[in-house]
């Protein structure tokens, strides 16, 4: 293992991203052991979502100043924190930032002092701290880091050693909390923090390698506890992001504690994340409004979550999974409970997870300033297994719908990834499509599943939609497809010389082929819209669904959607941004239109 004498912004960023990914792979095992503060089975999901938001936010930064990077990390954590453990983690990072000296690099001693600050800050975020939780493990880990940092100047030695102390503290949590001892598990939030440290240590140990070897999540025994929803005293997990000037966190904590329990107040004087379990969310929001402006809210019914987790209807529910080449509005993935497996995006030797550690906006910003042609690769089967394992915990069957087999090996990776999953029926659907066309197919299947349609019907709806959907694509230039090797350089030069651009379509076989040519981008757009109109006429003219996807071209997408609405006022038109996996080939300015007649 290499020696690490200092920590700067880039090293901090890479380590946290590695840790975040390690936790995300283990979300479902954490959900299984979720007992405290309520057994609603979402600690793993919440920690993973919080850390993915952090990773996505800092992945695009090139900040080498460690405190400034840590501040960015803390800001992302505060804005994206979910659940009790997510809010505590946000305050941990905030305290870590406050404890770091204002220098580009820090030593192990500096980091040890900051770790103690982070632990103290995490404790202060809680109205009624409880031992045997993530707080205890954070404190024990921080003390060990600080103790070793007095004599050891090497992060590569301190981090593995302090991980051992964190694991020892974790194993002790059932002795500190009767609920854990009775359930036969360790604390889920504390285990999540240990996973974060483990991912970081693994990254440090394997930093010399270009890619990290996969470590499959270990099998865990589910917690044993009272499975009646009525055992949950406060029904709603309620969160808010509060903004203002000089927010009095102590007064806010006292007021919030009057409305429920599991109160976490994370953040600083101008921005605060509030987490409370309560029976009166609106009353809580009224209280918060007296302290500042409410910028964000979230309410989850924990009794409903509990019922969903343990009810006897699992076998009847159908889960939907796709890959990140599926372009849909971001909110729709959550509304329709669609599982998504990210494709890999590579800028040289840097590896990102599409729409997870690299958002579309970040991708196009990076695309604009680099000469390196971005590339994509299919997810490994293990990534599908991870998502399938989570979805199968709540659904007896899964319909997995993916990018055309003719364009990628993603479909086959999904088939292989399903093999380790037991007691779950699977159907894999080759959409023979991509981007917003795949999105329309997935949306149709997800809506059918959400309405309670049986497995066979959902499969039929997905296959029928895949047969009918039509997609057309136009690009303002061929230079990106030439640079990526999709079009021979000679053909690209000739097209540029003549000012000719193609309109592409996804064929019934699932390949992308030119179906029209035009002079200039405006001409290509006109031909694309004529082809879309012809495809729409194949339906009954009513109730057709349309989609417009764009690569960093929001104004153009809005213009095209207005044109569609003018011609089809009774139809549904959705707009979304193409993810990095497809934006890498079409480049900025490309648009795709689709119709499901």
């Amino acid at each position: 293992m290499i020696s690490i004498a200092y920590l700067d912004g880039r090293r901090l960023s890479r380590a946290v991203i590695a840790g975040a990914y390690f936790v995300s792979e283990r979300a479902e095992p954490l959900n299984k052991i979720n007992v405290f503060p309520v057994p609603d089975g979402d600690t793993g999901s919440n920690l993973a979502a919080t850390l993915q938001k952090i990773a996505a936010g800092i992945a695009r930064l090139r900040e080498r100043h460690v405190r400034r990077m840590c501040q960015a990390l803390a800001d992302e954590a505060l804005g994206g924190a979910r659940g009790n453990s997510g809010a505590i983690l946000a305050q941990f990072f905030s305290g870590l930032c406050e404890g770091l000296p204002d220098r580009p690099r820090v030593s192990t001693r500096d980091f040890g002092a900051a770790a103690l600050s982070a632990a103290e800050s995490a404790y202060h975020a809680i109205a009624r701290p409880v031992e045997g939780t993530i707080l205890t493990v954070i404190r024990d880990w921080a003390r060990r880091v600080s103790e070793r940092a007095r004599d050891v100047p090497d992060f590569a030695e301190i981090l593995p050693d302090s991980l051992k102390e964190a694991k020892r503290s974790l194993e002790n949590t059932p002795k500190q909390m009767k609920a854990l001892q009775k359930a036969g598990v360790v604390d889920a939030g504390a285990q999540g923090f240990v996973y974060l440290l483990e991912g970081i240590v693994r990254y440090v140990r394997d930093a010399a390698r270009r890619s990290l070897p996969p470590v499959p999540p270990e099998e865990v025994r589910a917690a044993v506890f009272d499975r009646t929803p009525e055992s949950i005293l406060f029904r709603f997990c309620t969160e808010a992001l509060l903004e203002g000037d000089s927010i009095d966190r102590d007064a806010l904590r006292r007021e919030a504690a009057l409305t429920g329990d599991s109160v976490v107040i994370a953040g600083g004087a101008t921005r605060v994340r509030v987490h409370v379990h309560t029976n009166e969310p609106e009353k809580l929001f009224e209280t918060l409004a007296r302290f500042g402006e409410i910028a964000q809210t979230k309410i989850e019914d924990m009794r409903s979550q509990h019922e969903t987790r343990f009810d006897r209807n699992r076998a009847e529910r159908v889960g939907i999974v796709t890959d990140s080449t599926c372009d849909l509005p971001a909110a729709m993935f959550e509304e329709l409970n669609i599982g998504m497996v990210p494709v890999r995006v590579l800028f040289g030797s840097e590896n990102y997870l599409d729409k997870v550690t690299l958002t579309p906006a970040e991708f196009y910003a990076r695309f604009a300033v680099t000469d390196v042609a971005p590339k994509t690769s299919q997810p490994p089967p293990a990534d599908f297994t991870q998502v399938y394992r989570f979805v199968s915990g709540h659904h007896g069957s899964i319909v997995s719908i993916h990018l055309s087999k003719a364009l990628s090996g993603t479909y086959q990776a999904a088939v292989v990834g399903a093999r380790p999953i037991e007691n779950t029926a699977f159907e894999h659907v080759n959409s023979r499509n991509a981007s917003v066309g795949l999105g329309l197919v997935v949306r149709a299947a997800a809506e059918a599943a959400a309405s309670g349609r049986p497995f066979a019907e959902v499969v039929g709806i997905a296959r029928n939609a895949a047969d009918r959907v039509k997609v057309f694509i136009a690009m303002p230039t061929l230079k990106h497809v030439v640079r990526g090797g999709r079009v021979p350089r000679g053909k690209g030069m000739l097209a540029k010389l003549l000012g000719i651009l193609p309109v592409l379509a996804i064929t019934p076989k699932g390949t992308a082929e030119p179906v029209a040519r035009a002079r200039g981008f405006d001409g290509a757009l006109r031909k694309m819209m004529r082809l879309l109109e012809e495809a729409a006429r194949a339906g009954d003219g009513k109730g057709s669904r349309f989609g417009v996807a764009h690569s960093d071209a929001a104004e153009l997408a809005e213009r095209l959607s207005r044109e569609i609405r003018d011609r089809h006022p009774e139809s549904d038109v959705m707009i979304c941004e193409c993810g990095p996996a497809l934006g890498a080939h079409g480049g900025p300015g490309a648009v795709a239109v689709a119709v499901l007649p």
Side-chain angles (χ1 to χ4, degrees):
M1 185 165 56
I2 59 175
S3 176
I4 303 175
Y6 67 87
L7 182 69
D8 66 4
R10 295 292 293 278
R11 287 178 175 178
L12 175 64
S13 170
R14 289 167 179 164
V16 171
I17 289 171
Y21 187 59
F22 200 80
V23 173
S24 297
E25 288 181 315
R26 289 152 179 79
E28 186 53 26
L30 291 175
N31 288 338
K32 285 183 178 180
I33 62 172
N34 177 196
V35 171
F36 181 84
V38 291
D40 52 349
D42 66 355
T43 292
S45 301
N46 286 338
L47 274 175
T50 301
L51 286 164
Q52 285 172 355
K53 178 66 167 62
I54 293 170
I58 64 176
R60 60 187 169 84
L61 301 179
R62 296 294 176 266
E63 178 61 67
R64 292 191 177 276
H65 192 289
V66 66
R67 187 170 184 181
R68 288 199 285 266
M69 175 60 80
C70 194
Q71 183 62 62
L73 193 157
D75 289 344
E76 292 291 347
L78 199 62
R82 284 181 55 174
N84 186 281
S85 295
I88 292 172
L89 200 60
Q91 189 61 21
F92 166 82
F93 284 123
S94 180
L96 185 70
C97 178
E98 290 174 4
L100 287 173
D102 191 11
R103 294 200 297 268
R105 298 177 174 183
V106 295
S107 66
T108 56
R109 283 197 173 196
D110 296 328
F111 185 75
L116 289 176
S117 169
E120 183 179 0
S121 184
Y123 266 89
H124 285 168
I126 312 299
R128 289 182 285 272
V130 176
E131 294 300 332
T133 64
I134 185 174
L135 292 173
T136 306
V137 175
I138 287 174
R139 182 195 61 207
D140 292 345
W141 168 81
R143 287 175 176 174
R144 182 63 174 174
V145 170
S146 177
E147 177 186 316
R148 291 303 309 279
R150 295 173 195 157
D151 305 311
V152 179
D154 187 359
F155 281 93
E157 182 177 340
I158 286 178
L159 291 176
D161 178 79
S162 60
L163 172 61
K164 292 178 183 177
E165 177 62 22
K167 288 183 174 180
R168 185 206 61 76
S169 179
L170 173 68
E171 291 303 315
N172 199 44
T173 57
K175 299 176 184 177
Q176 297 170 293
M177 191 190 303
K178 288 184 179 179
L180 297 176
Q181 192 173 46
K182 184 178 179 180
V185 295
V186 296
D187 180 65
Q191 177 69 80
F193 183 72
V194 169
Y195 281 153
L196 174 65
L197 299 177
E198 197 169 342
I200 291 171
V201 168
R202 180 169 165 263
Y203 167 76
V204 170
R205 284 176 172 165
D206 298 313
R209 303 183 188 181
R210 291 192 64 181
S211 61
L212 303 179
V215 178
E218 60 271 27
E219 291 296 322
V220 298
R221 186 168 65 87
V224 178
F225 46 77
D226 183 359
R227 296 190 173 187
T228 58
E230 293 74 18
S231 65
I232 298 175
L233 182 61
F234 292 102
R235 180 168 186 167
F236 299 102
C237 177
T238 309
E239 298 179 30
L241 185 64
L242 199 62
E243 296 177 346
D245 297 321
S246 302
I247 298 173
D248 188 338
R249 287 185 294 167
D250 291 334
L252 178 58
R253 187 181 298 106
R254 289 192 297 271
E255 290 287 329
L258 297 176
T259 66
D261 68 2
S262 297
V263 177
V264 184
I265 307 295
T270 60
R271 201 162 177 250
V272 172
R273 166 70 64 176
V274 180
H275 171 280
V276 183
H277 291 172
T278 181
N279 288 324
E280 301 175 295
E282 294 306 322
K283 183 177 179 181
L284 173 64
F285 292 146
E286 289 175 8
T287 299
L288 299 183
R290 299 202 303 268
F291 289 85
E293 182 179 347
I294 299 175
Q296 188 184 99
T297 63
K298 181 175 77 70
I299 303 173
E300 290 182 345
D301 187 335
M302 294 184 292
R303 288 182 186 170
S304 175
Q305 289 176 326
H306 190 90
E307 289 169 349
T308 298
R309 186 181 178 195
F310 297 113
D311 72 11
R312 297 175 182 175
N313 297 324
R314 171 190 173 274
E316 299 175 8
R317 287 198 300 274
V318 182
I320 303 296
V321 174
T322 187
D323 56 77
S324 63
T325 65
C326 171
D327 288 325
L328 283 170
M332 202 168 284
F333 280 95
E334 189 165 345
E335 289 169 8
L336 295 175
N337 201 23
I338 300 168
M340 188 268 287
V341 180
V343 169
R344 307 300 174 92
V345 181
L346 298 93
F347 276 98
S349 62
E350 295 185 80
N351 193 328
Y352 299 94
L353 299 177
D354 181 21
K355 297 179 182 175
V356 177
T357 60
L358 187 69
T359 66
E362 292 157 358
F363 169 79
Y364 293 116
R366 179 80 183 272
F367 198 106
V369 297
T370 182
D371 293 327
V372 178
K375 297 181 179 180
T376 60
S377 65
Q378 67 203 41
D383 286 8
F384 285 97
T385 304
Q386 174 198 340
V387 173
Y388 289 151
R389 186 165 281 123
F390 174 75
V391 175
S392 66
H394 309 281
H395 304 83
S397 56
I398 294 174
V399 181
S400 201
I401 310 166
H402 296 289
L403 175 66
S404 172
K405 285 171 63 175
L407 299 175
S408 167
T410 299
Y411 174 90
Q412 188 57 39
V415 172
V416 175
R419 290 173 184 167
I421 308 301
E422 299 177 347
N423 303 317
T424 303
F426 274 91
E427 187 72 28
H428 288 86
V429 177
N430 173 21
S431 73
R432 304 190 307 282
N433 232 293
S435 185
V436 71
L438 172 56
L440 288 175
V441 176
V442 169
R443 180 182 176 184
E447 288 178 339
S451 68
R453 305 285 277 275
F455 177 54
E457 281 192 34
V458 175
V459 171
I461 287 168
R463 294 196 182 283
N464 179 267
D467 288 339
R468 292 187 295 125
V469 73
K470 302 295 180 186
V471 179
F472 304 97
I473 305 159
M475 297 168 285
T477 175
L478 293 181
K479 73 176 183 179
H480 302 298
V481 288
V482 170
R483 187 172 68 166
R486 297 275 173 167
V487 171
R489 188 172 297 275
K491 285 188 176 181
M493 291 179 65
L494 181 61
K496 182 178 180 181
L497 184 65
L498 298 175
I500 294 174
L501 291 171
V503 176
L504 303 179
I506 305 295
T507 70
K509 293 182 179 180
T511 58
E513 304 290 346
V515 291
R517 291 175 176 81
R519 286 192 177 276
F521 189 42
D522 287 341
L525 290 173
R526 286 192 294 272
K527 286 200 173 182
M528 179 183 73
M529 296 302 283
R530 280 201 293 270
L531 289 166
L532 181 73
E533 185 63 23
E534 290 172 9
R537 293 195 198 111
D540 58 12
K542 295 182 179 180
S544 293
R545 278 193 168 160
F546 294 86
V548 181
H550 66 92
S551 297
D552 199 27
E555 290 185 9
L556 174 58
E558 185 59 45
R559 192 188 92 196
L560 296 177
S561 70
R562 285 197 302 269
E563 186 176 331
I564 295 170
R565 289 189 183 98
D566 288 343
R567 293 179 179 177
H568 302 273
E570 297 180 8
S571 295
D572 182 321
V573 184
M574 66 181 189
I575 301 176
C576 52
E577 190 166 22
C578 284
L582 294 177
H585 303 298
V591 288
V593 292
V595 60
L596 181 59

